[in-house]
Amino acid sequence: MKLFAAPAARTHSSLAVTWEKPEAAGDVEEYVLFLNGREAARVRETDYTFEGLEPDTEYQVRLRARMKEGSRVFLPESNLLTLRTKREPERFCVTDYGAVGDGKTLNTEAVQRAIDACTPGGMVVVPAGVFVTGALFLKSDMTLCVEEGGRLLGSADPADYPLRTYRYEGRESLRHASLINTPDTKGERSHDITILGKGTIDGNGAALLVHELEGGHKRGSVICLRSADNVYFKDITVRQPAFWCVHVVYCAHVSLNQVQIHCKYDENGERYGHIFNGDGFDPDSSRDVFVFRCRIASQDDCIAVKSGRDEEGRAVGIASEDIRITNCRFRSGFGVAMGSEMAGGIRNVLVQDCTFEDSFSIASVKTPRGRGSYVQNICYDSCRLVNRDHEIKPCKWFKGAIYVDYYYSEDEYDVNERRPVTEGTSVISDLCFRNLDLETEEGYAVYIAGLPESPARRIRLENVRARGANGLYAVNADGLFLENVQVKAQEGDDMRLKNVKDFRMS
């Protein structure tokens, strides 16, 4: 078993590790973690966070699997990891710089003063209270900590979010700054940014959108970090976006650990007003991204892996790659998506051991003609979906529990129309869906639609049990492999194939 540190996932008192799930995971009763040679924890998931550690201290971690009684499988213990906690941070409390947590006072300047004063390795602290603020700009080598009972609440006035040129739906566009931002570093990259705490960062999107829609300017996110390395989100709750909730662009080595994101409903189940296109988390032209033990309830895609749009995205040419999404819970929205802005490429993504509740889909791989580039080596493993929400119906945007769609967003199309292959022709290949239990009352159980000139290539379903309003539909595919797959349709045929080459079923 390979044990490794989650990217950037360390503080002065905690270290997070994760490991590859062995092929014989079904024979594992639990995983046993050892810290400095002593047993420290037993878990069934494939990640663990050590808490209450000493600052600036070296620790050694090893992992062992305890097998189920009667198992004949032997798994050797993992490699030994040597990790070090960060040093104790100097604290900069925002109230010491004039911030007032009364839910009324505008605190943008006071909170920014605390950020600007923060020394390398320091921590800006938001204590209990409601601190209203406009756009804030973090810097390298700092932590923003929102303590339990504390809330950063976005101002409802668009004037408190200056206009900046950021990537918006795949293109660089003039838009409002987000509530939490990285600065324009003029070509230099930010680094070592941590956002944590038991408190809340609230974009106040419902109130903000009333004004922004009238003004016509593009919306900001709650958090948008650009061109940053070693980014860590831990324990924080992020909610009520005017656009996407958490957006990382051109970033590397990013972890989300036990983060809660609420884009459609608040924590009590009350629905936000006005919000649309409210993605939960968008890694965009970013690499080495780990998401684990998170809860995301979204108005749109819970997670959408992206990499730019059309000619501009291809020119930038920065792929999203090496992404792991494990042990997460998703509610509402559209599950974990690849695209549709994927013109820089997407590859090497694992979605594993996740549950989806009243989410229209578990997996969507989507691109219209003109995007170009590729989506390849994507795996959804050991996940369960139950969707009994009838609010969202199948349409040009959404097709089913699993859908691979080269005609995404197109009102009319002919699956028999072959067009010339150009740089705008996308290639989707090497997708694996295994050990899945899917139940949806809307849309297809499985929907695969490639182009005649660029079929969906090498799509594999293994140990999949899927029930939908419609069954499995596949058109324009080259290499469709089904092993131990059960598909049941409430309406029509369980399986319908058209122009599928190299079809195998066992």
Side-chain angles (χ1 to χ4, degrees), residues 213-384:
L213 288 173
E214 294 172 356
H217 295 298
K218 291 180 170 62
R219 302 160 286 156
S221 302
V222 181
I223 299 173
C224 182
L225 306 184
R226 293 165 45 92
S227 301
D229 301 317
N230 301 319
V231 174
Y232 188 27
F233 298 87
K234 182 176 185 291
D235 299 329
I236 197 74
T237 294
V238 189
R239 66 195 297 270
Q240 199 184 177
F243 179 52
W244 297 343
C245 210
V246 180
H247 187 195
V248 294
V249 193
Y250 314 131
C251 290
H253 317 304
V254 179
S255 284
L256 276 68
N257 179 4
Q258 301 184 88
V259 172
Q260 292 195 49
I261 296 175
H262 300 274
C263 302
K264 185 173 183 178
Y265 308 97
D266 66 16
E267 298 86 331
N268 300 315
E270 294 294 324
R271 187 165 183 168
Y272 305 129
H274 306 297
I275 292 171
F276 62 98
N277 197 6
D279 287 2
F281 173 55
D282 294 77
D284 195 344
S285 291
S286 294
R287 62 183 174 88
D288 197 22
V289 179
F290 284 32
V291 184
F292 50 101
R293 295 194 189 236
C294 293
R295 298 181 64 182
I296 302 177
S298 181
Q299 185 273 333
D300 205 292
D301 294 323
C302 292
I303 294 178
V305 182
K306 299 181 179 292
S307 63
R309 188 172 188 141
D310 302 342
E311 298 91 342
E312 181 178 312
R314 296 195 298 272
V316 173
I318 300 177
S320 278
E321 57 189 341
D322 301 325
I323 296 172
R324 289 171 55 95
I325 300 164
T326 58
N327 301 308
C328 292
R329 294 177 60 189
F330 302 106
R331 179 171 178 262
S332 67
F334 307 102
V336 179
M338 308 295 135
S340 67
E341 298 92 353
M342 37 65 68
I346 297 172
R347 61 189 168 206
N348 305 335
V349 181
L350 173 66
V351 182
Q352 188 174 70
D353 294 322
C354 296
T355 60
F356 299 75
E357 177 189 354
D358 286 338
S359 173
F360 186 86
S361 60
I362 182 176
S364 55
V365 183
K366 50 193 181 180
T367 174
R369 280 185 166 114
R371 287 285 190 270
S373 199
Y374 58 86
V375 178
Q376 65 185 30
N377 195 23
I378 313 297
C379 181
Y380 292 77
D381 173 47
S382 301
C383 297
R384 170 151 174 77

Side-chain angles (χ1 to χ4, degrees), residues 7-12 14 86 89 118 121-125 138-146 180 182 191-197 201 223 225 228-236 253 255 257:
R10 64 189 186 104
T11 69
H12 69 284
S14 69
K86 292 184 176 181
C118 183
M123 176 185 290
V124 173
V125 178
L138 306 183
K139 60 184 181 181
S140 293
D141 200 10
M142 69 160 288
T143 295
L144 174 64
C145 173
V146 185
I180 306 294
T182 42
H191 62 87
D192 296 286
I193 295 173
T194 297
I195 299 175
L196 56 73
I201 300 176
I223 299 173
L225 306 184
D229 301 317
N230 301 319
V231 174
Y232 188 27
F233 298 87
K234 182 176 185 291
D235 299 329
I236 197 74
H253 317 304
S255 284
N257 179 4

